[in-house]
Amino acid sequence: MAPEELDLPAQQCLVATLSQHLTDTLGGPVHHLQTHLSHVLLAGGQAWKLHKALATDFADFRRLSQRVHDAQEELRLNRRLAAPLYRDLQAVLGPPGPVRLAPWPAQGALDVAVHMRAFEPDQQWDRLLQRGALSLAMIDRLAGRLVDFQRQAPVAPAWADADERVQQPLRDTLTTLGRLRPDALDGWSDWAAAEGRRLAGWRRQRSAQGCVREGHGDLHLANIAQVDGEPMPFDALAFDPALRWIDVVADLAFLRMDLAAHQRPDLAGRLLDAWLQRNGDGQALVGERAERVARALVRAKVAALRHTQTGQAADRDATDHALALARRVAQPAPPMLLITHGPSGSGKTALTEALLDQGDLVRWRSDVERKRLHGLAPSEASHSPLDGGLNDHTANAATLARLLALADAALQGGHPVLLDATFLRGADRQAARALAARHGVRYGILPFDADPALLRERLARRAAAGHDASEANAAVLARQLQDRDPLDADEQALCWRPDAVLTDAAGAPQARWTTLLAALQSAS
């Protein structure tokens, strides 16, 4: 049989024989795993992945040339984020000689394998999550790696059919779902058309700004592993360029969707916050929710395809769950705009941290955005005097304008927003309230305060630590306390306060916001 004509049954036999060869060569057991599109052989701390010689609605690997191209792309794409895992390509040789592996390329190869370093399966993020071992530190580290990767990724060309490239994958998903599960497609075509109109201008703007890049394309929990202490996304989408030339927010949205599917909105919220604090990409929020819905629909499609192969009830249930998640994300509670109010050191940032557990809430910190406007990292000192540098009137006005612009974009995307700033001036609070009114959303104030002596002590301790974005000192605090405009009676009626303030094991204060979190879930 010619290499180009290797069919699925013949390939299955080839893989079985290769597995025996590895057993004989390495002297240990070989584990054979299968996905919808691939065979994976694990042995001796190594892995070999072969693409199945089949065609689906979205990929065609029937010919060796097609499998070779995809394997080459897989090696290139995955070395960007998981270079320690992806070694090389190896040829699978066989009859008339024995089935064996050889360096690629090789004369007479029957198939090609992506040769990888194996990792411990229990270090995949879906398994870490199942046993409660996926930490906030890992989430934070991944966000940093993702932002760095996206900054370096190639920018998409200025395609004449760019809008069609974005919308066609979603239409294809809905077409497949409609064929497999016509009972579940009600309303989705209308939603896709409406979102296409709503986001048309945003997508053109994002493309012009270089936000459409060659991403990962399949960034979910099972495609991330802890290796050598680092989160390593692997198995990037290679078979269809249209699914990886995407807005940078799409990869983030995929992982956030998966965290929500695993009932962890708290981790989804922390991931969003960490990503935004690093890149300041507020405009991404206009379309982030729509990207999450699209990824949930893709998951429903994959589960439905799997159900046609297995007939198992679990796969039908997985389709139903993914569709239900897509509908929940597409129909969120109306957002709210919240602001903090209080002098530096009063606990605004620390005590609102728990609100991120809501999953969709977007927090923008004035201390971080003020420095971003001046090209400084959050922990980078500006050495600004009391009324100069980052503390002068122009800088204050620019920071407020940026916070309001960021909130505007998040509200357009259906996200509740928390603006973490002092908001000691009544005029600044009125500007935020006017923005909420323009969007027709609920507005609230989270007030904080403490004894001036305690505030001074906290600021001194924070300055000594040297890792906080805030540079407020005793002089800044004195000016704040002298010039602040107290909340009037109308504003007092808009205030939300913690249900309780607790202390964690390290002695740090933590707030419980049960009442406010319930309001965020049902805002009207």
Side-chain angles (χ1 to χ4, degrees), residues 301-374:
K301 176 187 73 173
V302 172
L305 286 167
R306 192 165 55 240
H307 181 257
T308 64
Q309 295 178 334
T310 67
Q312 294 182 2
D315 291 324
R316 183 176 178 86
D317 290 345
T319 307
D320 291 338
H321 292 157
L323 286 167
L325 174 62
R327 202 163 296 282
R328 288 197 302 274
V329 177
Q331 299 173 342
M336 294 176 65
L337 175 58
L338 303 169
I339 67 168
T340 59
H341 165 69
S344 298
S346 57
K348 298 183 298 298
T349 299
L351 293 177
T352 58
E353 191 85 12
L355 290 172
L356 297 174
D357 292 349
Q358 186 266 352
D360 267 358
L361 181 128
V362 173
R363 175 182 64 173
W364 293 110
R365 296 179 58 195
S366 62
D367 294 323
V368 173
E369 298 312 312
R370 183 184 301 269
K371 288 188 172 179
R372 200 189 311 274
L373 284 169
H374 291 80

Side-chain angles (χ1 to χ4, degrees), residues 267-512:
L267 295 181
R270 300 306 176 106
L271 175 66
L272 177 64
D273 185 64
W275 189 80
L276 290 172
Q277 298 308 315
R278 282 171 171 78
N279 65 14
D281 188 4
Q283 283 299 314
L285 297 170
V286 175
E288 190 269 344
R289 182 179 299 279
E291 295 286 358
R292 265 185 291 150
V293 174
R295 268 66 192 171
L297 291 171
V298 168
R299 173 154 296 178
K301 176 187 73 173
V302 172
L305 286 167
R306 192 165 55 240
H307 181 257
T308 64
Q309 295 178 334
T310 67
Q312 294 182 2
D315 291 324
R316 183 176 178 86
D317 290 345
T319 307
D320 291 338
H321 292 157
L323 286 167
L325 174 62
R327 202 163 296 282
R328 288 197 302 274
V329 177
Q331 299 173 342
M336 294 176 65
L337 175 58
L338 303 169
I339 67 168
T340 59
H341 165 69
S344 298
S346 57
K348 298 183 298 298
T349 299
L351 293 177
T352 58
E353 191 85 12
L355 290 172
L356 297 174
D357 292 349
Q358 186 266 352
D360 267 358
L361 181 128
V362 173
R363 175 182 64 173
W364 293 110
R365 296 179 58 195
S366 62
D367 294 323
V368 173
E369 298 312 312
R370 183 184 301 269
K371 288 188 172 179
R372 200 189 311 274
L373 284 169
H374 291 80
L376 299 176
S379 59
E380 190 174 352
S382 71
H383 305 291
S384 297
L386 180 60
D387 292 312
L390 270 64
N391 295 322
D392 67 14
H393 175 74
T394 300
N396 291 337
T399 301
L400 176 64
R402 175 161 176 80
L403 290 177
L404 295 177
L406 291 168
D408 180 68
L411 292 171
Q412 287 181 53
H415 287 269
V417 182
L418 171 64
L419 298 182
D420 176 358
T422 61
F423 279 102
L424 295 173
R425 296 179 64 247
D428 295 347
R429 299 194 296 271
Q430 287 304 313
R433 190 171 184 177
L435 176 63
R438 286 200 297 276
H439 281 274
V441 302
R442 195 169 177 180
Y443 167 76
I445 300 171
L446 281 53
F448 297 90
D449 210 346
D451 181 81
L454 178 58
L455 294 174
R456 287 191 291 270
E457 178 189 330
R458 288 175 178 172
L459 294 183
R461 193 162 56 239
R462 193 162 68 186
H467 53 68
D468 195 274
S470 174
E471 295 184 21
N473 54 26
V476 170
L477 175 62
R479 177 68 59 83
Q480 290 176 351
L481 297 177
Q482 173 186 322
D483 294 346
R484 63 179 170 179
D485 299 326
L487 300 176
D488 60 28
D490 184 38
E491 290 177 312
Q492 289 284 358
L494 297 169
C495 286
W496 294 88
R497 292 178 172 82
D499 298 279
V501 176
L502 313 170
T503 302
D504 66 14
Q510 292 184 328
R512 182 179 296 157

Side-chain angles (χ1 to χ4, degrees), residues 94-118:
V99 173
R100 63 202 184 278
L101 294 167
W104 182 269
Q107 185 71 27
L110 295 176
D111 217 330
V112 62
V114 179
H115 181 212
M116 303 168 62
R117 166 189 166 188

Side-chain angles (χ1 to χ4, degrees), residues 35-37 52 54-60 169 172-182 184 239 243 296-320 322-323:
T35 70
H36 185 56
L37 294 177
K52 289 183 177 179
L54 52 69
T56 70
D57 285 8
F58 50 88
D60 188 349
D172 291 344
T173 293
L174 294 177
T175 297
T176 302
L177 269 174
R179 176 171 56 82
L180 299 173
R181 287 287 304 273
F239 62 81
L243 300 180
L297 291 171
V298 168
R299 173 154 296 178
K301 176 187 73 173
V302 172
L305 286 167
R306 192 165 55 240
H307 181 257
T308 64
Q309 295 178 334
T310 67
Q312 294 182 2
D315 291 324
R316 183 176 178 86
D317 290 345
T319 307
D320 291 338
L323 286 167

